[in-house]
Amino acid sequence: MAPSSRPAVYRATGIKRPLTEQELVTALEKLFSEDGTIQIQAMISPGCYSHDVIDVALVTFLPKAPTSLEEMIRNRDSVLIDTEKGQLLFDRNFHGLTQLYPTTKGVAVTADIVAVTGLDGHAYGSWRSRESGKMWLRDFLSESFPTCRTMIYGYDSKLGSTVGMHRILDYKRAFIEDLKMTRRLTESTDRPLIFICHSFGGIIVAQTLVSAARAEKFADPTQYAIFTATRGIMFFGTPHRGLLTEDILSMVDRNEQPERTRLVESIDTSSQELRTELEGFIGIAAVGKFKVFSFYETKKSRKLVKGPSGGFSRSGDWFFPVANDSALLDLPGDSEVAIPVHEDHSNIVKFSSPQDSTFEIVRHHISEVSAGL
């Protein structure tokens, strides 16, 4: 399918109620009138942090973003824009938690679904099909689970970053605080939780749950509730026992980015730190209070190769970045379901249609763990 099947999607925050989607689109059309051939779509959902005060919109521009917007946000994390409906903050990194679609009006939210991307991934783009342009967490789950609050979590995971966090500990702490903020209200603190994780995102979630389980001792009920409310975790290609990092390290300048180098080394197959933390997670997972679904790739990926212009492409030798014995936890009994996926490490979390066989499995297991909620 043509590249235009993946139109530009931005996040706009600061939307004051009762602004409607059509009113937002009309305001943006006036703002970007010089790009008259661009079609604008918007989906407004409640903000994850402001609770009943400020909404957030996913704004889609077809076939591409307005030139003026691209110029304003170039080399910046976000840009504040004046519209006839007030000031809106636009960004395309989706850092923090973002609700992907509004839940059914007048019906209580039944569960929180939180998806966490991997290292060098994008909170929104990592889950988006290259063929159809569909982002299944939004486009498919909204149809199947309209009463679930489905969110993505973004963080500075780019390998080229020199200013972001560089330790798993820091990522975990930030994720915990974001979860606590969005679940701090009485009606959401104990709401059932389902995690969907890709690669490094699974390590963050696993270590988050270990810390949450220990929080009871420190009289932090909101954090402890993250553990007690968890009903299921879907790990997609998560390197619990490390991954092969040789080609990833080739993208990192050891002299200019020593912290980033250490982060990548901390998730290598030789990492003792990773194995020690894993023991803690296996300890709480084996109890059986939540179900684990471990999806592992059965197609090889190509190694990254640096081209003559300095850019990297996956054109090297074929290999498995995450071996089966790293992707699978081997939990006792029926605590873990192992699911092979005939895709490579990147495409294991990209579904082009609701009829995709792996998505059908995902939908079934979400229904399974949420039954009776």
Side-chain angles (χ1 to χ4, degrees):
M1 190 169 288
S4 59
S5 65
R6 286 170 58 88
V9 179
Y10 283 72
R11 177 175 61 177
T13 58
I15 298 171
K16 298 178 181 178
R17 297 183 183 178
L19 185 68
T20 67
E21 291 173 351
Q22 184 54 56
E23 288 172 336
L24 174 60
V25 168
T26 299
L28 294 179
E29 286 175 341
K30 291 179 180 178
L31 186 66
F32 300 117
S33 57
E34 77 279 6
D35 294 282
T37 58
I38 291 177
Q39 180 185 353
I40 302 174
Q41 299 172 350
M43 177 179 284
I44 296 178
S45 300
C48 291
Y49 304 98
S50 54
H51 296 293
D52 299 323
V53 180
I54 303 295
D55 287 335
V56 175
L58 297 185
V59 181
T60 304
F61 298 97
L62 297 100
K64 63 177 183 177
T67 302
S68 56
L69 177 59
E70 289 186 326
E71 290 176 351
M72 283 188 283
I73 206 167
R74 185 174 291 120
N75 301 320
R76 299 173 64 181
D77 289 332
S78 60
V79 59
L80 190 63
I81 299 177
D82 286 313
T83 76
E84 63 177 22
K85 296 298 182 180
Q87 289 188 324
L88 300 180
L89 187 68
F90 279 79
D91 77 85
R92 52 189 174 188
N93 58 35
F94 289 83
H95 286 175
L97 287 163
T98 305
Q99 185 171 332
L100 293 175
Y101 56 85
T103 55
T104 306
K105 280 188 176 182
V107 179
V109 178
T110 54
D112 282 347
I113 299 175
V114 182
V116 186
T117 188
L119 191 65
D120 206 42
H122 185 272
Y124 188 90
S126 292
W127 313 93
R128 198 175 184 189
S129 167
R130 292 186 175 92
E131 288 75 28
S132 68
K134 295 293 185 181
M135 200 284 203
W136 65 274
L137 293 166
R138 182 188 76 168
D139 299 324
F140 306 161
L141 293 190
S142 59
E143 296 293 326
S144 300
F145 304 99
T147 62
C148 288
R149 181 171 63 155
T150 300
M151 298 171 280
I152 50 175
Y153 180 71
Y155 54 98
D156 183 3
S157 65
K158 292 300 180 185
L159 291 173
S161 175
T162 58
V163 297
M165 293 183 287
H166 303 288
R167 298 184 303 169
I168 299 174
L169 174 64
D170 298 319
Y171 289 119
K172 175 190 71 175
R173 286 173 173 170
F175 185 48
I176 288 173
E177 290 307 311
D178 276 298
L179 284 175
K180 287 169 63 177
M181 279 292 292
T182 198
R183 291 170 59 84
R184 69 184 185 277
L185 298 185
T186 303
E187 66 269 21
S188 57
T189 299
D190 298 314
R191 181 183 295 154
L193 258 171
I194 299 169
F195 291 103
I196 300 175
C197 331
H198 181 218
S199 197
F200 181 71
I203 294 174
I204 294 175
V205 169
Q207 295 194 16
T208 289
L209 288 173
V210 173
S211 293
R214 294 169 179 166
E216 183 182 28
K217 299 178 181 178
F218 303 102
D220 189 340
T222 306
Q223 182 172 334
Y224 182 59
I226 294 171
F227 166 64
T228 58
T230 299
R231 298 289 185 271
I233 311 171
M234 295 186 171
F235 292 115
F236 285 85
T238 294
H240 297 289
R241 297 177 182 86
L243 77 163
L244 298 176
T245 61
E246 180 184 0
D247 68 327
I248 301 177
L249 283 171
S250 68
M251 296 180 66
V252 182
D253 190 316
R254 290 179 178 271
N255 296 320
E256 297 293 329
Q257 300 171 280
E259 299 92 350
R260 224 46 168 180
T261 299
R262 286 193 290 272
L263 171 63
V264 175
E265 291 175 341
S266 73
I267 57 174
D268 186 76
T269 53
S270 63
S271 172
Q272 184 56 47
E273 172 191 350
L274 206 59
R275 291 177 180 268
T276 300
E277 291 292 335
L278 177 60
E279 290 177 7
F281 179 73
I282 289 177
I284 64 171
V287 176
K289 290 189 177 295
F290 51 77
K291 195 88 170 183
V292 172
F293 304 92
S294 297
F295 296 78
Y296 60 96
E297 62 244 39
T298 62
K299 287 178 68 174
K300 292 181 178 181
S301 302
R302 282 190 179 275
K303 288 187 176 181
L304 290 162
V305 174
K306 190 173 184 178
S309 63
F312 286 84
S313 65
R314 289 203 170 275
S315 55
D317 295 335
W318 293 97
F319 80 125
F320 282 112
V322 181
N324 289 358
D325 61 356
S326 184
L328 300 178
L329 291 161
D330 295 323
L331 297 176
D334 61 353
S335 298
E336 179 184 24
V337 179
I339 304 165
V341 180
H342 191 56
E343 287 292 352
D344 60 25
H345 189 66
S346 174
N347 288 305
I348 195 173
V349 289
K350 295 178 174 67
F351 311 135
S352 59
S353 78
Q355 288 72 46
D356 183 284
S357 59
T358 304
F359 174 72
E360 293 279 11
I361 293 171
V362 169
R363 178 167 54 191
H364 167 73
H365 286 308
I366 292 178
S367 297
E368 182 184 51
V369 298
S370 61
L373 295 180

